[in-house]
Amino acid sequence: MDLNTAESTATAPTETAAPLKVAVILASNREGRFAPVVANWFLAHTDRHPEIETDVLDVADLDLPVSLKYRLDPPAREQVAAIGARLAEADAFVVVTPEYNHSYPAALKNLLDWYRTEWQAKPVAFVSYGGVAGGLRAVEHLRQVFAELHGVSIRDTVSFHNAGAQFDDEGRHRDPAGPDAAVKTLLDQLIWWGRALRDARRVRPYGG
């Protein structure tokens, strides 16, 4: 093989990877919640990202049973199975969460506890909001929970401190430069880990 052929082979572009399937989880079901504002801001960034496809799971709409029963009536069993299928289909997760009493919402814990293998060997990123702490105490608790579930939490987060004052009445951030830079870093890390772990699961199914 001559050098020109070798060089062209080495630099030939690989087949474009399939978009990463990202489940975006809205963690709050509180009346009057701020979650849709933050989630819509985040989705505005993912909607124009060619490497990501999103599926939004809003805990306020999931209607999961709050009792972890082995025997469920048919409608509840179908609902649990349908949500599980969506989680299993995801390559990665982004949790949009507030902070309730130094932790994360009970509705999110209920969602996490219903499933197991669906979370395993997949990256999880966090977009948090709240008062002075910006929801970061909720994120720190969630890192421990996802580690137990064999999820891989992404280091960098997006957090909104005193979130209500940061957005205008149209849901636009008043000073977007910092959050826009933070969400780019988060998505870059999520895509790297999402692709790496997706490829690894295809080669060798995870058995945690």
Side-chain angles (χ1 to χ4, degrees), residues 160-207:
F160 295 103
H161 305 257
N162 299 314
Q166 293 199 35
F167 293 84
D168 64 20
D169 292 340
E170 302 299 321
R172 294 178 298 236
H173 200 277
R174 298 181 189 276
D175 186 14
D180 286 355
V183 78
K184 181 183 184 304
T185 298
L186 180 149
L187 291 176
D188 286 347
Q189 292 181 10
L190 187 72
I191 290 168
W192 190 95
W193 279 104
R195 285 178 170 173
L197 291 172
R198 182 173 64 184
D199 291 346
R201 293 193 308 274
R202 286 172 177 170
V203 173
R204 179 173 299 172
Y206 186 77

Side-chain angles (χ1 to χ4, degrees), residues 20-24 42-43 46-47 52-57 94:
L20 202 68
K21 297 179 181 179
V22 178
V24 179
F42 176 74
L43 291 167
T46 59
D47 286 348
I52 292 176
E53 293 179 356
T54 57
D55 178 23
V56 178
L57 289 88
V94 175

Side-chain angles (χ1 to χ4, degrees), residues 103-161:
S103 192
Y104 57 93
L108 175 60
K109 187 62 163 66
N110 189 47
L111 172 65
L112 295 174
D113 289 347
W114 265 109
Y115 304 97
R116 177 173 174 163
T117 59
E118 291 83 355
W119 310 111
Q120 291 182 351
K122 297 177 183 179
V124 187
F126 303 101
V127 177
S128 67
Y129 62 95
V132 174
L136 290 174
R137 290 175 292 207
V139 170
E140 290 309 304
H141 286 189
L142 283 167
R143 290 188 190 280
Q144 298 175 60
V145 175
F146 275 106
E148 180 66 21
L149 294 169
H150 298 258
V152 179
S153 66
I154 300 302
R155 180 195 180 278
D156 287 63
T157 66
V158 178
S159 62
F160 295 103
H161 305 257

